[in-house]
Short mmCIF file of all heavy atoms in Angstrom, two decimals:
data_model
loop_
_atom_site.label_atom_id
_atom_site.label_comp_id
_atom_site.label_asym_id
_atom_site.label_seq_id
_atom_site.Cartn_x
_atom_site.Cartn_y
_atom_site.Cartn_z
N MET A 26 38.19 7.99 21.00
CA MET A 26 37.60 7.59 19.74
C MET A 26 36.42 6.65 19.96
O MET A 26 35.39 6.79 19.31
CB MET A 26 38.69 6.93 18.87
CG MET A 26 38.20 6.46 17.54
SD MET A 26 37.83 7.87 16.50
CE MET A 26 37.42 7.09 15.02
N MET A 27 36.60 5.68 20.84
CA MET A 27 35.54 4.71 21.09
C MET A 27 34.33 5.38 21.72
O MET A 27 33.19 5.01 21.42
CB MET A 27 36.08 3.60 22.01
CG MET A 27 35.18 2.42 22.05
SD MET A 27 35.06 1.75 20.38
CE MET A 27 35.06 0.06 20.74
N LYS A 28 34.54 6.38 22.59
CA LYS A 28 33.42 7.10 23.20
C LYS A 28 32.63 7.85 22.14
O LYS A 28 31.40 7.89 22.18
CB LYS A 28 33.92 8.09 24.26
CG LYS A 28 34.36 7.44 25.55
CD LYS A 28 34.73 8.51 26.55
CE LYS A 28 35.17 7.90 27.86
NZ LYS A 28 35.50 8.90 28.86
N MET A 29 33.32 8.45 21.20
CA MET A 29 32.65 9.21 20.15
C MET A 29 31.82 8.27 19.26
O MET A 29 30.68 8.59 18.90
CB MET A 29 33.67 9.96 19.30
CG MET A 29 33.02 10.93 18.33
SD MET A 29 34.11 12.13 17.59
CE MET A 29 35.32 11.14 16.78
N VAL A 30 32.34 7.12 18.94
CA VAL A 30 31.60 6.15 18.12
C VAL A 30 30.37 5.66 18.87
O VAL A 30 29.28 5.55 18.30
CB VAL A 30 32.52 4.97 17.71
CG1 VAL A 30 31.72 3.86 17.06
CG2 VAL A 30 33.62 5.44 16.78
N SER A 31 30.52 5.36 20.16
CA SER A 31 29.37 4.87 20.92
C SER A 31 28.31 5.96 21.09
O SER A 31 27.11 5.68 21.05
CB SER A 31 29.81 4.33 22.28
OG SER A 31 30.37 5.37 23.06
N LYS A 32 28.72 7.22 21.25
CA LYS A 32 27.77 8.32 21.34
C LYS A 32 27.03 8.50 20.01
O LYS A 32 25.81 8.70 19.99
CB LYS A 32 28.46 9.63 21.73
CG LYS A 32 28.85 9.69 23.18
CD LYS A 32 29.49 11.02 23.51
CE LYS A 32 29.96 11.06 24.95
NZ LYS A 32 30.57 12.33 25.29
N PHE A 33 27.75 8.42 18.93
CA PHE A 33 27.13 8.53 17.61
C PHE A 33 26.12 7.40 17.39
O PHE A 33 25.02 7.61 16.89
CB PHE A 33 28.20 8.52 16.51
CG PHE A 33 27.62 8.57 15.13
CD1 PHE A 33 27.12 9.76 14.62
CD2 PHE A 33 27.56 7.44 14.33
CE1 PHE A 33 26.57 9.82 13.36
CE2 PHE A 33 27.02 7.48 13.07
CZ PHE A 33 26.52 8.68 12.58
N THR A 34 26.50 6.19 17.78
CA THR A 34 25.61 5.04 17.64
C THR A 34 24.35 5.23 18.48
O THR A 34 23.24 4.92 18.03
CB THR A 34 26.33 3.75 18.05
OG1 THR A 34 27.52 3.63 17.29
CG2 THR A 34 25.46 2.53 17.83
N LEU A 35 24.51 5.74 19.70
CA LEU A 35 23.36 5.98 20.57
C LEU A 35 22.43 7.03 19.97
O LEU A 35 21.21 6.85 19.94
CB LEU A 35 23.84 6.42 21.96
CG LEU A 35 22.74 6.77 22.96
CD1 LEU A 35 21.91 5.54 23.27
CD2 LEU A 35 23.32 7.37 24.21
N VAL A 36 22.98 8.12 19.47
CA VAL A 36 22.16 9.17 18.85
C VAL A 36 21.44 8.63 17.62
O VAL A 36 20.25 8.90 17.41
CB VAL A 36 23.04 10.40 18.50
CG1 VAL A 36 22.28 11.38 17.63
CG2 VAL A 36 23.53 11.07 19.77
N ALA A 37 22.11 7.83 16.81
CA ALA A 37 21.50 7.26 15.62
C ALA A 37 20.37 6.30 16.00
O ALA A 37 19.31 6.29 15.37
CB ALA A 37 22.54 6.53 14.79
N ALA A 38 20.57 5.51 17.06
CA ALA A 38 19.52 4.57 17.50
C ALA A 38 18.30 5.33 18.01
O ALA A 38 17.16 4.96 17.70
CB ALA A 38 20.06 3.65 18.58
N VAL A 39 18.51 6.39 18.78
CA VAL A 39 17.39 7.18 19.30
C VAL A 39 16.63 7.85 18.15
O VAL A 39 15.40 7.86 18.12
CB VAL A 39 17.89 8.22 20.33
CG1 VAL A 39 16.79 9.20 20.69
CG2 VAL A 39 18.40 7.52 21.58
N ALA A 40 17.36 8.38 17.18
CA ALA A 40 16.72 9.02 16.04
C ALA A 40 15.92 8.00 15.23
O ALA A 40 14.80 8.28 14.78
CB ALA A 40 17.76 9.69 15.16
N THR A 41 16.45 6.81 15.05
CA THR A 41 15.75 5.77 14.31
C THR A 41 14.47 5.36 15.02
O THR A 41 13.42 5.20 14.39
CB THR A 41 16.66 4.54 14.13
OG1 THR A 41 17.86 4.95 13.47
CG2 THR A 41 15.98 3.45 13.34
N LEU A 42 14.53 5.22 16.33
CA LEU A 42 13.33 4.88 17.09
C LEU A 42 12.28 5.98 17.03
O LEU A 42 11.08 5.71 16.94
CB LEU A 42 13.69 4.57 18.54
CG LEU A 42 14.43 3.25 18.78
CD1 LEU A 42 14.85 3.14 20.24
CD2 LEU A 42 13.57 2.08 18.39
N ALA A 43 12.73 7.24 17.06
CA ALA A 43 11.78 8.36 16.97
C ALA A 43 11.09 8.38 15.61
O ALA A 43 9.88 8.58 15.52
CB ALA A 43 12.51 9.67 17.22
N ILE A 44 11.85 8.15 14.56
CA ILE A 44 11.27 8.14 13.21
C ILE A 44 10.33 6.95 13.06
O ILE A 44 9.23 7.08 12.52
CB ILE A 44 12.39 8.10 12.14
CG1 ILE A 44 13.14 9.42 12.15
CG2 ILE A 44 11.81 7.80 10.77
CD1 ILE A 44 14.40 9.41 11.32
N ALA A 45 10.72 5.78 13.56
CA ALA A 45 9.87 4.59 13.46
C ALA A 45 8.58 4.79 14.25
O ALA A 45 7.51 4.36 13.81
CB ALA A 45 10.63 3.37 13.97
N GLY A 46 8.65 5.41 15.39
CA GLY A 46 7.46 5.66 16.19
C GLY A 46 6.49 6.59 15.49
O GLY A 46 5.28 6.35 15.46
N SER A 47 7.01 7.66 14.90
CA SER A 47 6.11 8.59 14.22
C SER A 47 5.55 7.97 12.95
O SER A 47 4.41 8.21 12.58
CB SER A 47 6.84 9.90 13.89
OG SER A 47 7.88 9.67 12.97
N ALA A 48 6.33 7.14 12.26
CA ALA A 48 5.84 6.48 11.06
C ALA A 48 4.76 5.46 11.42
O ALA A 48 3.77 5.32 10.72
CB ALA A 48 6.98 5.79 10.32
N GLY A 49 4.94 4.77 12.54
CA GLY A 49 3.95 3.79 12.97
C GLY A 49 2.62 4.44 13.30
O GLY A 49 1.55 3.93 12.97
N GLU A 50 2.67 5.61 13.93
CA GLU A 50 1.44 6.32 14.26
C GLU A 50 0.72 6.78 13.00
O GLU A 50 -0.50 6.64 12.89
CB GLU A 50 1.75 7.54 15.14
CG GLU A 50 2.21 7.18 16.54
CD GLU A 50 2.67 8.39 17.32
OE1 GLU A 50 2.55 9.52 16.80
OE2 GLU A 50 3.14 8.21 18.44
N SER A 51 1.46 7.32 12.04
CA SER A 51 0.81 7.79 10.82
C SER A 51 0.27 6.62 10.00
O SER A 51 -0.76 6.73 9.37
CB SER A 51 1.78 8.62 9.99
OG SER A 51 2.84 7.82 9.52
N MET A 52 0.97 5.47 10.04
CA MET A 52 0.48 4.31 9.32
C MET A 52 -0.80 3.77 9.97
O MET A 52 -1.71 3.34 9.29
CB MET A 52 1.55 3.22 9.27
CG MET A 52 2.68 3.53 8.32
SD MET A 52 3.98 2.32 8.33
CE MET A 52 3.13 0.87 7.77
N ALA A 53 -0.87 3.81 11.29
CA ALA A 53 -2.07 3.35 11.98
C ALA A 53 -3.25 4.26 11.65
O ALA A 53 -4.37 3.78 11.43
CB ALA A 53 -1.83 3.31 13.48
N LYS A 54 -3.02 5.55 11.58
CA LYS A 54 -4.09 6.47 11.21
C LYS A 54 -4.52 6.22 9.77
O LYS A 54 -5.68 6.25 9.45
CB LYS A 54 -3.63 7.92 11.36
CG LYS A 54 -3.46 8.35 12.80
CD LYS A 54 -2.96 9.78 12.87
CE LYS A 54 -2.68 10.19 14.29
NZ LYS A 54 -2.10 11.53 14.38
N GLY A 55 -3.55 5.97 8.90
CA GLY A 55 -3.84 5.72 7.50
C GLY A 55 -4.63 4.44 7.30
O GLY A 55 -5.50 4.36 6.46
N LYS A 56 -4.32 3.40 8.08
CA LYS A 56 -5.04 2.14 7.94
C LYS A 56 -6.49 2.29 8.39
O LYS A 56 -7.37 1.68 7.83
CB LYS A 56 -4.35 1.04 8.73
CG LYS A 56 -3.09 0.54 8.06
CD LYS A 56 -2.54 -0.66 8.74
CE LYS A 56 -1.30 -1.17 8.01
NZ LYS A 56 -0.73 -2.33 8.63
N LYS A 57 -6.74 3.09 9.41
CA LYS A 57 -8.11 3.31 9.84
C LYS A 57 -8.90 4.04 8.75
O LYS A 57 -10.03 3.71 8.49
CB LYS A 57 -8.14 4.13 11.13
CG LYS A 57 -7.64 3.37 12.33
CD LYS A 57 -7.66 4.24 13.57
CE LYS A 57 -7.03 3.52 14.74
NZ LYS A 57 -6.91 4.38 15.91
N ALA A 58 -8.27 5.02 8.12
CA ALA A 58 -8.95 5.78 7.09
C ALA A 58 -9.02 5.01 5.78
O ALA A 58 -9.90 5.25 4.96
CB ALA A 58 -8.24 7.11 6.87
N ALA A 59 -8.10 4.08 5.56
CA ALA A 59 -8.01 3.39 4.28
C ALA A 59 -8.69 2.03 4.31
O ALA A 59 -8.28 1.12 3.63
CB ALA A 59 -6.55 3.25 3.89
N ALA A 60 -9.71 1.88 5.09
CA ALA A 60 -10.41 0.60 5.17
C ALA A 60 -11.43 0.46 4.04
O ALA A 60 -12.40 -0.26 4.16
CB ALA A 60 -11.09 0.47 6.51
N ALA A 61 -11.21 1.16 2.94
CA ALA A 61 -12.16 1.16 1.83
C ALA A 61 -12.13 -0.15 1.04
O ALA A 61 -13.14 -0.55 0.50
CB ALA A 61 -11.86 2.33 0.90
N CYS A 62 -10.98 -0.79 0.96
CA CYS A 62 -10.89 -2.03 0.20
C CYS A 62 -9.81 -2.93 0.79
O CYS A 62 -8.94 -2.48 1.52
CB CYS A 62 -10.60 -1.74 -1.27
SG CYS A 62 -9.04 -0.93 -1.59
N THR A 63 -9.86 -4.19 0.43
CA THR A 63 -8.89 -5.17 0.89
C THR A 63 -7.73 -5.21 -0.10
O THR A 63 -7.96 -5.41 -1.29
CB THR A 63 -9.53 -6.57 0.97
OG1 THR A 63 -10.69 -6.49 1.78
CG2 THR A 63 -8.57 -7.58 1.53
N PRO A 64 -6.48 -4.99 0.36
CA PRO A 64 -5.35 -5.01 -0.56
C PRO A 64 -5.29 -6.30 -1.37
O PRO A 64 -5.45 -7.39 -0.83
CB PRO A 64 -4.14 -4.88 0.35
CG PRO A 64 -4.67 -4.16 1.55
CD PRO A 64 -6.08 -4.66 1.72
N GLY A 65 -5.10 -6.15 -2.67
CA GLY A 65 -5.03 -7.29 -3.58
C GLY A 65 -6.34 -7.62 -4.26
O GLY A 65 -6.38 -8.42 -5.19
N ALA A 66 -7.43 -7.01 -3.81
CA ALA A 66 -8.74 -7.29 -4.40
C ALA A 66 -8.85 -6.67 -5.78
O ALA A 66 -8.25 -5.64 -6.07
CB ALA A 66 -9.84 -6.75 -3.49
N LEU A 67 -9.64 -7.30 -6.63
CA LEU A 67 -9.90 -6.80 -7.98
C LEU A 67 -11.38 -6.45 -8.11
O LEU A 67 -12.23 -7.08 -7.49
CB LEU A 67 -9.58 -7.86 -9.03
CG LEU A 67 -8.12 -8.06 -9.38
CD1 LEU A 67 -7.97 -9.30 -10.25
CD2 LEU A 67 -7.58 -6.86 -10.11
N LYS A 68 -11.68 -5.42 -8.91
CA LYS A 68 -13.06 -5.11 -9.23
C LYS A 68 -13.14 -4.62 -10.66
O LYS A 68 -12.16 -4.16 -11.24
CB LYS A 68 -13.63 -4.07 -8.26
CG LYS A 68 -13.17 -2.65 -8.51
CD LYS A 68 -13.93 -1.68 -7.61
CE LYS A 68 -13.56 -0.25 -7.93
NZ LYS A 68 -14.31 0.70 -7.13
N THR A 69 -14.32 -4.73 -11.23
CA THR A 69 -14.55 -4.30 -12.60
C THR A 69 -14.69 -2.78 -12.63
O THR A 69 -15.44 -2.21 -11.85
CB THR A 69 -15.84 -4.94 -13.15
OG1 THR A 69 -15.72 -6.36 -13.01
CG2 THR A 69 -16.05 -4.59 -14.59
N ALA A 70 -13.95 -2.13 -13.51
CA ALA A 70 -13.99 -0.67 -13.59
C ALA A 70 -14.97 -0.22 -14.67
O ALA A 70 -15.88 0.55 -14.41
CB ALA A 70 -12.60 -0.12 -13.86
N ALA A 71 -14.79 -0.68 -15.89
CA ALA A 71 -15.65 -0.28 -17.01
C ALA A 71 -15.74 -1.44 -17.98
O ALA A 71 -14.76 -2.13 -18.24
CB ALA A 71 -15.07 0.93 -17.70
N CYS A 72 -16.93 -1.64 -18.51
CA CYS A 72 -17.14 -2.74 -19.46
C CYS A 72 -17.53 -2.21 -20.82
O CYS A 72 -18.25 -1.22 -20.93
CB CYS A 72 -18.22 -3.68 -18.95
SG CYS A 72 -17.69 -4.67 -17.56
N GLY A 73 -17.03 -2.87 -21.83
CA GLY A 73 -17.38 -2.56 -23.21
C GLY A 73 -17.93 -3.80 -23.88
O GLY A 73 -18.15 -4.83 -23.23
N PRO A 74 -18.15 -3.75 -25.19
CA PRO A 74 -18.73 -4.91 -25.88
C PRO A 74 -17.80 -6.13 -25.89
O PRO A 74 -18.26 -7.26 -25.90
CB PRO A 74 -18.98 -4.40 -27.28
CG PRO A 74 -18.19 -3.17 -27.43
CD PRO A 74 -17.95 -2.62 -26.06
N ALA A 75 -16.49 -5.91 -25.85
CA ALA A 75 -15.55 -7.03 -25.92
C ALA A 75 -15.07 -7.49 -24.55
O ALA A 75 -14.82 -8.67 -24.34
CB ALA A 75 -14.35 -6.64 -26.77
N GLY A 76 -14.91 -6.59 -23.62
CA GLY A 76 -14.37 -6.97 -22.33
C GLY A 76 -14.43 -5.83 -21.33
O GLY A 76 -15.00 -4.77 -21.61
N CYS A 77 -13.84 -6.07 -20.17
CA CYS A 77 -13.88 -5.08 -19.09
C CYS A 77 -12.47 -4.76 -18.61
O CYS A 77 -11.59 -5.62 -18.63
CB CYS A 77 -14.67 -5.63 -17.91
SG CYS A 77 -16.37 -6.05 -18.30
N THR A 78 -12.30 -3.54 -18.15
CA THR A 78 -11.05 -3.16 -17.50
C THR A 78 -11.22 -3.35 -16.00
O THR A 78 -12.33 -3.29 -15.48
CB THR A 78 -10.66 -1.70 -17.81
OG1 THR A 78 -11.71 -0.85 -17.35
CG2 THR A 78 -10.42 -1.49 -19.28
N MET A 79 -10.12 -3.59 -15.33
CA MET A 79 -10.17 -3.91 -13.91
C MET A 79 -9.39 -2.87 -13.10
O MET A 79 -8.55 -2.14 -13.63
CB MET A 79 -9.56 -5.29 -13.66
CG MET A 79 -10.15 -6.41 -14.47
SD MET A 79 -11.81 -6.83 -13.96
CE MET A 79 -11.49 -7.62 -12.43
N GLN A 80 -9.68 -2.83 -11.80
CA GLN A 80 -8.94 -2.03 -10.84
C GLN A 80 -8.50 -2.95 -9.72
O GLN A 80 -9.20 -3.89 -9.35
CB GLN A 80 -9.79 -0.90 -10.27
CG GLN A 80 -10.08 0.19 -11.26
CD GLN A 80 -10.86 1.32 -10.62
OE1 GLN A 80 -11.60 1.12 -9.68
NE2 GLN A 80 -10.70 2.50 -11.16
N ARG A 81 -7.30 -2.66 -9.14
CA ARG A 81 -6.76 -3.45 -8.03
C ARG A 81 -6.59 -2.56 -6.82
O ARG A 81 -6.18 -1.42 -6.93
CB ARG A 81 -5.42 -4.07 -8.41
CG ARG A 81 -4.84 -4.93 -7.29
CD ARG A 81 -3.61 -5.68 -7.70
NE ARG A 81 -3.82 -6.61 -8.79
CZ ARG A 81 -4.26 -7.87 -8.63
NH1 ARG A 81 -4.56 -8.32 -7.45
NH2 ARG A 81 -4.38 -8.65 -9.67
N CYS A 82 -6.91 -3.09 -5.64
CA CYS A 82 -6.72 -2.36 -4.40
C CYS A 82 -5.27 -2.54 -3.93
O CYS A 82 -4.77 -3.66 -3.87
CB CYS A 82 -7.68 -2.89 -3.33
SG CYS A 82 -7.51 -2.06 -1.76
N TRP A 83 -4.62 -1.44 -3.62
CA TRP A 83 -3.24 -1.47 -3.14
C TRP A 83 -3.21 -1.36 -1.63
O TRP A 83 -4.24 -1.21 -0.98
CB TRP A 83 -2.43 -0.36 -3.79
CG TRP A 83 -2.09 -0.68 -5.21
CD1 TRP A 83 -2.87 -0.48 -6.30
CD2 TRP A 83 -0.92 -1.33 -5.68
NE1 TRP A 83 -2.25 -0.93 -7.43
CE2 TRP A 83 -1.05 -1.45 -7.07
CE3 TRP A 83 0.22 -1.79 -5.07
CZ2 TRP A 83 -0.07 -2.04 -7.86
CZ3 TRP A 83 1.19 -2.37 -5.86
CH2 TRP A 83 1.04 -2.50 -7.23
N ALA A 84 -2.04 -1.42 -1.05
CA ALA A 84 -1.87 -1.43 0.40
C ALA A 84 -2.36 -0.15 1.06
O ALA A 84 -2.68 -0.15 2.25
CB ALA A 84 -0.40 -1.65 0.76
N ASP A 85 -2.45 0.94 0.32
CA ASP A 85 -2.92 2.20 0.92
C ASP A 85 -4.45 2.28 0.97
O ASP A 85 -5.01 3.26 1.43
CB ASP A 85 -2.35 3.41 0.19
CG ASP A 85 -2.77 3.49 -1.28
OD1 ASP A 85 -3.44 2.55 -1.76
OD2 ASP A 85 -2.43 4.48 -1.93
N GLY A 86 -5.14 1.25 0.49
CA GLY A 86 -6.59 1.20 0.55
C GLY A 86 -7.30 1.93 -0.56
O GLY A 86 -8.49 2.19 -0.48
N LYS A 87 -6.58 2.25 -1.63
CA LYS A 87 -7.17 2.96 -2.76
C LYS A 87 -7.17 2.06 -3.99
O LYS A 87 -6.33 1.18 -4.12
CB LYS A 87 -6.38 4.23 -3.06
CG LYS A 87 -6.42 5.24 -1.94
CD LYS A 87 -5.60 6.46 -2.29
CE LYS A 87 -5.55 7.44 -1.14
NZ LYS A 87 -4.67 8.57 -1.43
N TRP A 88 -8.12 2.31 -4.88
CA TRP A 88 -8.22 1.55 -6.12
C TRP A 88 -7.36 2.20 -7.20
O TRP A 88 -7.40 3.40 -7.38
CB TRP A 88 -9.66 1.49 -6.60
CG TRP A 88 -10.54 0.69 -5.70
CD1 TRP A 88 -11.39 1.18 -4.77
CD2 TRP A 88 -10.64 -0.72 -5.65
NE1 TRP A 88 -12.03 0.15 -4.13
CE2 TRP A 88 -11.59 -1.03 -4.66
CE3 TRP A 88 -10.04 -1.76 -6.34
CZ2 TRP A 88 -11.94 -2.35 -4.35
CZ3 TRP A 88 -10.39 -3.07 -6.02
CH2 TRP A 88 -11.33 -3.35 -5.05
N TYR A 89 -6.59 1.37 -7.94
CA TYR A 89 -5.74 1.84 -9.02
C TYR A 89 -5.99 0.98 -10.26
O TYR A 89 -6.33 -0.19 -10.13
CB TYR A 89 -4.25 1.74 -8.63
CG TYR A 89 -3.88 2.69 -7.52
CD1 TYR A 89 -3.82 2.26 -6.20
CD2 TYR A 89 -3.60 4.02 -7.78
CE1 TYR A 89 -3.48 3.13 -5.17
CE2 TYR A 89 -3.25 4.90 -6.77
CZ TYR A 89 -3.20 4.44 -5.47
OH TYR A 89 -2.86 5.32 -4.46
N PRO A 90 -5.81 1.55 -11.47
CA PRO A 90 -5.99 0.76 -12.69
C PRO A 90 -5.05 -0.45 -12.71
O PRO A 90 -3.92 -0.38 -12.25
CB PRO A 90 -5.62 1.73 -13.81
CG PRO A 90 -5.79 3.08 -13.21
CD PRO A 90 -5.48 2.94 -11.76
N SER A 91 -5.55 -1.54 -13.23
CA SER A 91 -4.78 -2.77 -13.30
C SER A 91 -4.60 -3.17 -14.77
O SER A 91 -5.39 -2.79 -15.62
CB SER A 91 -5.52 -3.87 -12.55
OG SER A 91 -4.86 -5.10 -12.70
N LEU A 92 -3.57 -3.94 -15.03
CA LEU A 92 -3.35 -4.46 -16.38
C LEU A 92 -4.24 -5.67 -16.65
O LEU A 92 -4.37 -6.10 -17.79
CB LEU A 92 -1.88 -4.85 -16.57
CG LEU A 92 -0.90 -3.68 -16.54
CD1 LEU A 92 0.53 -4.21 -16.63
CD2 LEU A 92 -1.18 -2.72 -17.68
N VAL A 93 -4.87 -6.20 -15.63
CA VAL A 93 -5.75 -7.36 -15.78
C VAL A 93 -7.03 -6.92 -16.49
O VAL A 93 -7.57 -5.86 -16.22
CB VAL A 93 -6.08 -7.95 -14.39
CG1 VAL A 93 -7.05 -9.11 -14.51
CG2 VAL A 93 -4.82 -8.37 -13.66
N ALA A 94 -7.49 -7.73 -17.40
CA ALA A 94 -8.75 -7.48 -18.11
C ALA A 94 -9.57 -8.77 -18.08
O ALA A 94 -9.05 -9.84 -17.79
CB ALA A 94 -8.48 -7.05 -19.54
N CYS A 95 -10.84 -8.64 -18.33
CA CYS A 95 -11.69 -9.83 -18.36
C CYS A 95 -12.69 -9.72 -19.51
O CYS A 95 -12.91 -8.64 -20.05
CB CYS A 95 -12.41 -10.03 -17.03
SG CYS A 95 -13.56 -8.70 -16.61
N TRP A 96 -13.29 -10.85 -19.87
CA TRP A 96 -14.30 -10.89 -20.91
C TRP A 96 -15.65 -11.01 -20.25
O TRP A 96 -15.79 -11.60 -19.19
CB TRP A 96 -14.02 -12.04 -21.86
CG TRP A 96 -12.84 -11.73 -22.71
CD1 TRP A 96 -12.86 -11.11 -23.93
CD2 TRP A 96 -11.47 -11.97 -22.40
NE1 TRP A 96 -11.58 -10.94 -24.39
CE2 TRP A 96 -10.72 -11.47 -23.47
CE3 TRP A 96 -10.80 -12.54 -21.34
CZ2 TRP A 96 -9.33 -11.53 -23.50
CZ3 TRP A 96 -9.43 -12.60 -21.35
CH2 TRP A 96 -8.71 -12.10 -22.44
N GLN A 97 -16.65 -10.47 -20.88
CA GLN A 97 -17.99 -10.27 -20.33
C GLN A 97 -18.51 -11.40 -19.43
O GLN A 97 -18.86 -11.13 -18.30
CB GLN A 97 -18.99 -9.98 -21.44
CG GLN A 97 -18.94 -8.58 -21.99
CD GLN A 97 -19.41 -7.54 -20.98
OE1 GLN A 97 -19.87 -7.83 -19.90
NE2 GLN A 97 -19.27 -6.29 -21.36
N PRO A 98 -18.63 -12.63 -19.87
CA PRO A 98 -19.27 -13.63 -19.00
C PRO A 98 -18.49 -13.94 -17.73
O PRO A 98 -19.05 -14.37 -16.74
CB PRO A 98 -19.36 -14.87 -19.88
CG PRO A 98 -19.03 -14.45 -21.25
CD PRO A 98 -18.30 -13.16 -21.17
N TRP A 99 -17.17 -13.68 -17.72
CA TRP A 99 -16.35 -14.08 -16.58
C TRP A 99 -15.90 -12.90 -15.72
O TRP A 99 -15.05 -13.07 -14.86
CB TRP A 99 -15.13 -14.86 -17.08
CG TRP A 99 -15.53 -16.11 -17.78
CD1 TRP A 99 -15.92 -17.27 -17.21
CD2 TRP A 99 -15.59 -16.31 -19.19
NE1 TRP A 99 -16.22 -18.19 -18.17
CE2 TRP A 99 -16.03 -17.62 -19.41
CE3 TRP A 99 -15.33 -15.51 -20.29
CZ2 TRP A 99 -16.20 -18.17 -20.67
CZ3 TRP A 99 -15.50 -16.05 -21.55
CH2 TRP A 99 -15.94 -17.36 -21.73
N CYS A 100 -16.43 -11.73 -15.93
CA CYS A 100 -16.03 -10.56 -15.13
C CYS A 100 -16.62 -10.62 -13.73
O CYS A 100 -17.80 -10.93 -13.58
CB CYS A 100 -16.48 -9.27 -15.80
SG CYS A 100 -15.60 -8.88 -17.31
N PRO A 101 -15.81 -10.34 -12.71
CA PRO A 101 -16.37 -10.27 -11.35
C PRO A 101 -17.26 -9.04 -11.21
O PRO A 101 -17.12 -8.07 -11.94
CB PRO A 101 -15.14 -10.17 -10.45
CG PRO A 101 -14.08 -9.61 -11.33
CD PRO A 101 -14.40 -10.07 -12.72
N LYS A 102 -18.16 -9.08 -10.29
CA LYS A 102 -19.08 -7.96 -10.07
C LYS A 102 -18.41 -6.85 -9.31
O LYS A 102 -17.63 -6.98 -8.48
CB LYS A 102 -20.31 -8.43 -9.30
CG LYS A 102 -21.05 -9.53 -10.01
CD LYS A 102 -21.83 -9.00 -11.17
CE LYS A 102 -22.55 -10.14 -11.86
NZ LYS A 102 -23.12 -9.85 -13.07
#
């Protein structure tokens, strides 16, 4: 019984390392391609007479709509 448990644990550890290695490689490739923006950054998307809508950069390096809004004189460029 103990041999079977240790074999199962070994197989699970090897599988986990294989998955982590492949995920790390794909994440490294994604970070190189996703250098478009700094995660957490905000930018002005569209402005109207009353205010502007904003977009936020996420960890994947893409811009997404944000709930943050600003008024004309204080909007970031």
Side-chain angles (χ1 to χ4, degrees):
M26 179 70 176
M27 194 61 142
K28 285 184 180 182
M29 188 165 59
V30 171
S31 63
K32 285 182 183 180
F33 178 76
T34 305
L35 177 64
V36 169
V39 170
T41 303
L42 288 174
I44 291 170
S47 65
E50 290 173 5
S51 66
M52 287 176 62
K54 289 178 185 176
K56 284 188 178 180
K57 289 179 186 174
C62 63
T63 305
L67 281 170
K68 76 173 185 177
T69 305
C72 288
C77 300
T78 59
M79 306 289 288
Q80 289 183 332
R81 181 173 299 275
C82 180
W83 284 85
D85 62 355
K87 296 179 184 175
W88 293 100
Y89 293 98
S91 175
L92 293 176
V93 177
C95 63
W96 287 270
Q97 283 291 355
W99 298 281
C100 290
K102 301 285 179 190

